[in-house]
Amino acid sequence: MDISNPHPALPSAATPSLLPTGASTVGLSAWADIDLSAISDNVAELSRRAGDAEVMAVIKGDAYGHGLVPVAGAALAGGATHLAVAQLTEALAARAAGVTAPILTWLFAPGADLAAAIRADLTLSAGAPWALAEIAAAARETGMTARIHLKVDTGLGRGGAWREDLAGMFVDAARLQAEDVIDVEGIFSHFAYADSPDHPTVRAQQETFVAMVADAERAGLRPRLRHLSNSAATLTNPSAHFDMVRPGVAIYGLSPVPDIGGPAHFGLREAMRVTARLIAVKDCPAGQGISYAHLYTTPEATRLGLVPLGYADGIPRHASNVGPMQVHGRGYTVAGRVCMDQMVLDLGADSPAQAGDEVVLIGREADGEPTAQDWATAIDTINYEIVTRLGPRVPRRYLEGS
Ligand SMILES: *Cc1c(COP(=O)(O)O)cnc(C)c1O
């Protein structure tokens, strides 16, 4: 596997550098270790829970910050039969890097180069009449059959067509399929409240989905892959598995339903570990204001540690004073403001820490380390956002796996 440039379609400066297994971290300010065997094992666990349903591993957003191409390989090694991304550009980047598995993409704008997508053997989502028309035109241009999944809105109120608009789309799709312009391989939808499995919309969306599939069949379509379940539904709602499940966050070992249980509860383990090095440690008197606007003041004489990560790296500025970290097994929260490139820890007067020592930002729940979920809880967001926003200045180092 060539991991030198995961997104040849994009400028390489916009993507993290990828370090091979065993690369030295000496001299690095920070890095993220990505355990590819955890990803393979998580996919295998999700596949086991999905029973007869296939697994489509969602690797959008640079695989939730874990690295598109290495994660694609690990997910396939774990038994995923399909991959999915949001943007067409992500799908093209995966193809350009040599990923040959089926890839579904569901975000592209009118006028996008769908002929290139069809030539790249991508599976295109059609969630509106204009998309179906542009896919058909592109297929005719290439002389190839476009593989599509119809996207239906069963109540999320986001992408996909409402039931009223589907009638016409189903008729058009059946006609285009009869002409071999398209192959309607799948039909799919997305839940609004999968992370609250008892929410009434879950059952309602599922019933609407079944009704829409029946409409499609009445129009003469026979989609082989009906899929509705994200990670939360894959883990909590077997009745929604249909022919394929579409988990994202869980393949990275993060719980989509932290109120129900953490990764270990679902047989998953975290794939990402984020470590920084203190780049300075210095004595500081009591009563010193720390970082911009002095949001923190040292209560007593102490030692300060400087962590070379900030919001340019995806550390949320809202984590000022609350973001959790660990040094020498001791837990801390950010002292004062998270800046663009740095933040400070109040290490305590007795800390043995020195410049160069490691700071754990994201580790493993099972080891009592701070986790992406802890950061999310601290700033009232979701673990997805914490890992996905980890920026390109943080190199990714790959451990074990495919
Ligand atoms: C992101 C996404 C998924 C994966 O969701 P998770 O909650 O991460 O499992 C599945 N389907 C669609 C349409 C998505 O946008």
Side-chain angles (χ1 to χ4, degrees):
M1 176 174 51
D2 175 16
I3 61 167
S4 58
N5 182 356
H7 302 287
L10 300 170
S12 57
T15 61
S17 55
L18 307 186
L19 308 175
T21 304
S24 168
T25 62
V26 172
L28 296 182
S29 295
W31 66 97
D33 283 314
I34 309 295
D35 181 350
L36 294 175
S37 63
I39 289 172
S40 298
D41 291 349
N42 293 336
V43 170
E45 175 62 17
L46 291 159
S47 176
R48 193 188 64 72
R49 287 170 180 263
D52 292 338
E54 296 182 54
V55 175
M56 170 179 268
V58 180
I59 56 171
K60 62 191 178 185
D62 202 26
Y64 293 44
H66 294 65
L68 177 72
V69 175
V71 167
L76 294 167
T81 53
H82 292 70
L83 303 170
V85 292
Q87 302 259 8
L88 175 56
T89 49
E90 300 178 291
L92 290 167
R95 275 286 183 269
V99 177
T100 57
I103 305 176
L104 173 66
T105 168
W106 53 70
L107 280 187
F108 45 86
D113 188 356
L114 299 183
I118 294 166
R119 287 194 195 93
D121 196 28
L122 299 174
T123 307
L124 294 166
S125 160
W130 73 259
L132 187 59
E134 290 202 11
I135 292 168
R140 288 201 161 95
E141 180 189 330
T142 59
M144 300 168 74
T145 302
R147 194 182 326 103
I148 76 163
H149 287 204
L150 291 164
K151 183 162 196 195
V152 301
D153 194 330
T154 51
L156 171 59
R158 197 179 71 178
W162 300 117
R163 198 166 180 189
E164 304 81 81
D165 297 323
L166 279 174
M169 280 180 70
F170 286 156
V171 170
D172 290 345
R175 180 176 45 76
L176 291 164
Q177 180 157 280
E179 296 169 27
D180 274 341
V181 175
I182 63 170
D183 170 24
V184 181
E185 180 191 57
I187 183 166
F188 74 114
S189 189
H190 198 38
F191 282 120
Y193 271 103
D195 53 347
S196 306
D198 298 325
H199 196 278
T201 58
V202 173
R203 177 67 48 193
Q205 281 194 252
Q206 214 168 309
E207 286 168 3
T208 302
F209 186 62
V210 170
M212 287 172 166
V213 170
D215 289 348
E217 288 173 349
R218 269 191 293 277
L221 298 169
R222 295 282 175 276
R224 305 180 287 289
L225 296 173
R226 299 161 297 168
H227 48 111
L228 179 58
S229 289
N230 60 359
S231 296
T234 301
L235 292 171
T236 67
N237 185 0
S239 69
H241 289 170
F242 293 96
D243 305 309
M244 187 161 75
V245 295
R246 213 172 54 234
V249 81
I251 77 174
Y252 308 101
L254 301 176
S255 174
V257 284
D259 294 344
I260 297 176
H265 176 80
F266 294 108
L268 306 170
R269 67 180 199 275
E270 301 98 324
M272 179 188 284
R273 178 179 188 82
V274 178
T275 311
R277 285 187 195 286
L278 293 170
I279 60 159
V281 176
K282 66 184 181 188
D283 291 328
C284 179
Q288 172 66 50
I290 300 298
S291 191
Y292 292 134
H294 288 177
L295 295 187
Y296 177 85
T297 302
T298 52
E300 51 197 50
T302 187
R303 288 169 69 70
L304 300 178
L306 191 56
V307 181
L309 287 173
Y311 60 80
D313 304 293
I315 306 299
R317 188 164 175 276
H318 277 109
S320 299
N321 273 336
V322 295
M325 287 176 265
Q326 204 180 73
V327 182
H328 288 289
R330 259 200 236 175
Y332 300 96
T333 53
V334 179
R337 194 76 101 193
V338 173
C339 310
M340 185 184 288
D341 318 292
Q342 349 184 358
M343 53 190 166
V344 178
L345 293 177
D346 179 347
L347 295 166
D350 60 342
S351 171
Q354 299 176 9
D357 287 358
E358 294 185 4
V359 182
V360 179
L361 286 91
I362 295 178
R364 295 187 59 184
E365 179 191 57
D367 298 336
E369 294 171 326
T371 62
Q373 183 57 46
D374 292 334
W375 281 86
T377 302
I379 64 160
D380 193 22
T381 184
I382 52 175
N383 51 24
Y384 299 62
E385 185 179 352
I386 300 298
V387 291
T388 303
R389 62 189 293 164
L390 188 73
R393 293 199 309 197
V394 180
R396 288 7 179 214
R397 183 173 66 153
Y398 290 91
L399 309 177
E400 284 312 280
S402 53

